[in-house]
Structure formats: structure tokens, C-alpha cells
Amino acid sequence: AMSDAPLRGHGGHEWFWEPGDERLLQPLPKLLDMYCRSVGRNSTLLLGLTPDTRGRMPDADVARLTEFGEAVERMFGSPLAATTTTTTGNLVELPFEQALEFDLIVLQEDIELGERVRNYELQVHDGEWHTIATGSCIGHKRIHRLETPCRGDAVRLRVLAARATPHIQMLSVHGQ
């Protein structure tokens, strides 16, 4: 799947550069939301960029894209905890060395074998297991943004339905 949007589409829908339309640059929070709703839902995000009359990317666009890249790196570049090998089966547990607070969970399947997971739940352990999110597809990448941060000493993925044995390449937690 592909998700496409113009970088200069905030408050309008500009696919082409025009002088003075920097106000239409997507704000950083919206770009991050677009990332999580596209890349984080097993899609590819395509941002429409266009050169100015010099044949170069406008300086304001380059600055916003740099800001966007740095924000994605801050959010996902250094997980608080992550699995280190592909796990086969319907249960993946990620224990923490100490209790952690997090609000982002990233899942990835080994898609060389196909998308297998059809229904799952994510749970946090804080003395007992509590369901904090559910989903129906993982694929290349699934990002869960939790409405409120969770705190616990472990997180686990429980696959409830799959078309074949799941191969989970990554389970990681992040704090914003």
C-alpha cells in the first residue's frame, strides 16, 4: 500500500511550488501523525516534493524534512527495549530489566514469509497482564501509539489468529 500527500498540503493541497506558500508546509506534528498512520500501518509514505525555480528543493522544505527526519529518529531510533531475534509462534514476551514507562509499541513480521498475523493483542505486565492494544495486521511494520503511557516490567504480543505460524521479527517499546 502507498500513502501519498504533498509536503505543502496544510490548509490547501499544493503539489507544485509557488513563491510565498511556505505557510502550506505540513506542521511537524501532522507529519509525525501521517508517518504513524501510514508506515505504522504497513504502508509506504510518499511525500510529494517539488523544486523551485532554481531547480532545487526550497530551503523551507529542506528544513521541515530535516526536522521530520530528526523527530522520527528521536521517536524510534533508540528503543527502551526490543527483541533481538525473530520469534516463531503465537506468543512473544519482552521482559524489561526494570519497570519502564512507554507510549509506543512497534511490531514487525518477517514478511519474506508473508503476512501471517490476522488478529492479536498487546499486553503489559504490572503484577498481572493487562491488554493495552489490539490489531488485525502487522506486516512490515505496525506502530501502536498509546493514548496514555503504560508502565510495567514486560510487554507481550499474543497472536489470536494467523494464516500460518507467525514469525515476529521485532517487538519494541519506545517513549516519546
Side-chain angles (χ1 to χ4, degrees):
M2 293 187 306
S3 304
D4 59 337
L7 180 62
R8 290 176 177 243
H10 184 66
H13 204 74
E14 289 293 327
W15 285 102
F16 300 102
W17 178 84
E18 291 179 25
D21 66 358
E22 288 79 15
R23 73 190 186 298
L24 296 177
L25 284 169
Q26 300 284 6
L28 182 59
K30 185 167 183 187
L31 287 171
L32 290 170
D33 186 59
M34 289 167 56
Y35 180 88
C36 289
R37 290 177 184 263
S38 60
V39 174
R41 291 188 180 163
N42 199 27
S43 182
T44 301
L45 176 60
L46 300 174
L47 285 176
L49 309 174
T50 185
D52 59 19
T53 54
R54 304 171 298 167
R56 300 177 62 184
M57 295 305 305
D59 295 338
D61 296 36
V62 171
R64 180 56 44 87
L65 291 169
T66 300
E67 182 182 32
F68 178 43
E70 290 169 349
V72 169
E73 180 64 25
R74 277 192 308 275
M75 286 178 75
F76 301 106
S78 298
L80 299 172
T83 57
T84 57
T85 60
T86 298
T87 304
T88 301
N90 292 330
L91 185 66
V92 180
E93 289 191 16
L94 176 58
F96 309 145
E97 291 181 20
Q98 61 187 25
L100 297 175
E101 184 171 278
F102 57 93
D103 56 2
L104 293 165
I105 301 170
V106 179
L107 303 168
Q108 291 182 267
E109 280 187 83
D110 180 356
I111 59 169
E112 284 187 17
L113 301 170
E115 295 179 20
R116 296 176 170 207
V117 176
R118 295 293 182 249
N119 193 8
Y120 65 90
E121 65 183 5
L122 289 165
Q123 298 180 317
V124 65
H125 187 265
D126 62 359
E128 59 184 74
W129 291 103
H130 302 281
T131 299
I132 55 174
T134 60
S136 59
C137 175
I138 295 174
H140 170 68
K141 187 175 286 184
R142 177 63 164 102
I143 299 171
H144 283 274
R145 295 172 85 180
L146 306 176
E147 289 185 27
T148 57
C150 284
R151 184 168 183 80
D153 57 19
V155 68
R156 75 179 175 189
L157 166 68
R158 291 185 60 224
V159 176
L160 306 174
R163 66 175 193 85
T165 302
H167 290 261
I168 305 303
Q169 190 171 19
M170 167 90 71
L171 165 60
S172 62
V173 296
H174 307 259
Q176 288 193 53

